[in-house]
Amino acid sequence: QVQLVESGGGLVQAGGSLRLSCAASGRIFSRNAMGWFRQAPGKEREFVSAISGDVNTVYADSVKGRFTISRDNAKNTVHLQMNSLKPEDTAVYYCAADVEIRGIPGKRVDQYNYWGQGTQVTVSS
């Protein structure tokens, strides 16, 4: 079984920064893709960013140039550095793990098998 625990959310003013972390435990390996998704009230869960075991990264167009995903395989941890935050970034952010080994990490919710409980990010204007 895999467990994912997010941390680092909070309240920040527009233009500010936050760093989210996701600690993974259980049968998840350094070769597996890890992703970040977010869900705002009344909206569907949407892709934010993902990183493969080969450290290939993908980003949603809405966060390119502002967010950076990274991973520390020695600590089974994935980070999402979020800069220049906007009010529209407000959402619950979820970490996810893909049991498949993919060269390019997936962007679809159904490509991920394990999910964390989420961490709230609120950006005030």
Side-chain angles (χ1 to χ4, degrees), residues 36-112:
W36 286 97
F37 290 75
R38 65 187 182 188
Q39 189 166 16
K43 295 188 176 181
E44 293 187 351
R45 192 167 298 190
E46 66 173 6
F47 172 77
V48 176
S49 182
I51 185 167
S52 71
D54 295 334
V55 202
N56 292 314
T57 58
V58 290
Y59 296 92
D61 288 343
S62 59
V63 307
K64 277 181 184 176
R66 299 189 298 123
F67 291 10
T68 303
I69 191 170
S70 62
R71 66 191 298 160
D72 182 343
N73 289 335
K75 297 182 179 179
N76 273 358
T77 303
V78 177
H79 302 287
L80 185 67
Q81 178 66 42
M82 306 186 296
N83 299 328
S84 302
L85 283 161
K86 305 175 181 180
E88 50 264 44
D89 294 318
T90 295
V92 177
Y93 282 71
Y94 296 91
C95 175
D98 181 359
V99 299
E100 297 292 332
I101 307 300
R102 304 182 197 271
I104 302 297
K107 297 182 179 181
R108 301 197 318 265
V109 170
D110 63 2
Q111 288 178 301
Y112 290 83

